[in-house]
Amino acid sequence: MDGVHGEELLAREVVRLAFYLPYDHPDIASGVSLALDSYMRAVGEGSSTLHEAFIDDDEGAPLSPERWKSIRQRLRPERHWRFAEDYSESYANRVEKRRYETQLFLDGGSARNGYSFRYRARIPWREPAANKVSLLTATVPTEYLEAHGPAHVAGLARTMASQLRFATGHAGLALQLHWPSRSTDDSLRSAAFRYPGIDLRPAWLWEEDVGFHVDGVHWLNFFAPPVLEKLGGAGGLRERLRSASTRVETLAGDRVLVSLGEWPESGDLELGLTLPAYRELAHVLGPLLEPLERSSPHTWMAAGNSFMGFTEEQALRWWRRFLD
């Protein structure tokens, strides 16, 4: 950003890792702690990477031994914990308003350098809604990808995946917005349609509503039961995915990784780079893609949930970019 010349950083292209965890905090806290360790070993702590942390709904503070102690305490599965039905009325109202039971958010502070780690545990109802999941995301700037290479980033994604009880997950290019897009930011919205391989999911709210659906098509795509069974398992995916750049790999724990090439690709519709491997996977995923219909009660793509300033028609057009 340059305050003297009136410039501001509106968005940054990053590599985003996301895992959707259909469990409450005590069931996944240990794995999340290990995934955080893996991420921190990969990117390090400091002024150029991560140096600030928010815990639940506090105002944030620099990372310090005391701050780390608080983070580790939040990631203890045996810490005091209750079902949402047992909350006091005032605390229940507070939790429902913020939409999570536990949150940890580490980033680079005002530098907006593209590094972040966020964990949100779903509200622990005794009978959780089918569409509610806990969510873990992490990002690195594309400069990190270029410096370390795709195999290193893919290795980080694999390691984190091995530590998490996910239903689906992914790693790939994404647009990280730092301000809601305004009516004057037409060039940014145009670019969103030009480069179909850049995911806009971080530019929408309500990610915890994805449930057992799939949040789109990415460079690396992780599937586990029960989603994997609906896709016919590893064998069914291999039979239907024929692109030369696609690789279907069986992982430990009855899981599958579908990789769409050595590097993540942005595509470019103006140059005819339509990403056929991405389109092929999108058609295989078919009805598992979210949202299913514009009228779906859990459709997070509603225009009011978008930081991009899209209309509902534009939002639906972007979401179907690999299907039409």
Side-chain angles (χ1 to χ4, degrees):
M1 294 185 297
D2 187 339
V4 175
H5 296 91
E7 296 178 352
E8 59 182 340
L9 180 63
L10 295 177
R12 174 186 282 275
E13 188 179 351
V14 297
V15 178
R16 183 180 191 241
L17 290 67
F19 297 95
Y20 298 92
L21 318 168
Y23 298 96
D24 295 330
H25 178 77
D27 301 316
I28 55 178
S30 296
V32 170
S33 184
L34 291 172
L36 174 58
D37 290 342
S38 298
Y39 178 77
M40 294 304 300
R41 283 194 297 270
V43 307
E45 176 184 343
S47 59
S48 62
T49 54
L50 297 175
H51 55 86
E52 186 174 56
F54 299 79
I55 300 176
D56 292 334
D57 52 1
D58 71 13
E59 295 182 356
L63 283 171
S64 64
E66 294 75 18
R67 199 65 169 164
W68 275 113
K69 184 178 179 180
S70 296
I71 291 170
R72 294 305 178 186
Q73 192 279 331
R74 298 303 288 166
L75 290 177
R76 289 174 52 200
E78 69 276 10
R79 69 175 170 82
H80 181 64
W81 179 87
R82 295 172 295 169
F83 283 109
E85 288 87 345
D86 300 324
Y87 293 164
S88 66
E89 183 178 356
S90 61
Y91 186 65
N93 290 336
R94 177 179 170 186
V95 169
E96 288 197 55
K97 182 177 181 179
R98 72 188 191 188
R99 308 197 314 274
Y100 57 82
E101 187 270 342
T102 295
Q103 174 176 254
L104 298 172
F105 181 34
L106 288 70
D107 71 356
S110 59
R112 297 175 178 168
N113 56 24
Y115 292 95
S116 69
F117 181 99
R118 172 171 280 176
Y119 165 60
R120 280 186 168 184
R122 70 183 183 184
I123 298 175
W125 300 105
R126 281 189 171 85
E127 295 185 10
N131 65 304
K132 296 294 184 182
V133 293
S134 300
L135 176 69
L136 184 148
T137 65
T139 62
V140 294
T142 51
E143 294 89 341
Y144 182 92
L145 171 69
E146 293 164 358
H148 296 275
H152 177 84
V153 176
L156 173 60
R158 288 166 176 269
T159 299
M160 293 178 67
S162 72
Q163 296 157 339
L164 296 169
R165 298 178 65 184
F166 63 86
T168 63
H170 72 254
L173 298 177
L175 190 68
Q176 188 176 68
L177 287 186
H178 297 293
W179 297 102
S181 190
R182 302 158 303 201
S183 61
T184 55
D185 298 330
D186 291 334
S187 60
L188 184 60
R189 278 184 287 274
S190 297
F193 288 103
R194 176 175 175 176
Y195 303 104
I198 300 179
D199 185 29
L200 300 186
R201 188 62 184 244
W204 266 270
L205 306 177
W206 312 105
E207 289 184 286
E208 66 271 23
D209 286 352
V210 72
F212 291 113
H213 292 107
V214 183
D215 79 339
V217 175
H218 312 271
W219 170 43
L220 306 178
N221 306 269
F222 294 89
F223 304 109
V227 175
L228 183 57
E229 285 100 344
K230 297 177 181 178
L231 296 172
L237 286 169
R238 289 192 182 99
E239 183 177 336
R240 300 170 69 189
L241 296 173
R242 302 299 181 88
S243 175
S245 61
T246 298
R247 180 184 178 191
V248 179
E249 179 183 357
T250 302
L251 305 177
D254 194 21
R255 301 169 171 196
V256 163
L257 167 60
V258 177
S259 306
L260 304 182
E262 180 184 357
W263 286 80
E265 296 183 71
S266 64
D268 188 334
L269 298 186
E270 291 189 7
L271 298 180
L273 303 176
T274 60
L275 303 181
Y278 288 60
R279 295 181 64 84
E280 181 183 56
L281 178 57
H283 284 275
V284 167
L285 294 175
L288 289 180
L289 288 173
E290 181 59 316
L292 304 181
E293 300 174 356
R294 184 180 305 166
S295 59
S296 170
H298 304 306
T299 295
W300 57 264
M301 191 58 81
N305 289 339
S306 170
F307 287 145
M308 287 295 295
F310 280 164
T311 65
E312 188 172 353
E313 291 294 333
Q314 289 173 324
L316 191 62
R317 173 188 160 200
W318 178 81
W319 187 250
R320 293 189 57 82
R321 67 199 185 283
F322 291 129
L323 294 172
D324 294 333

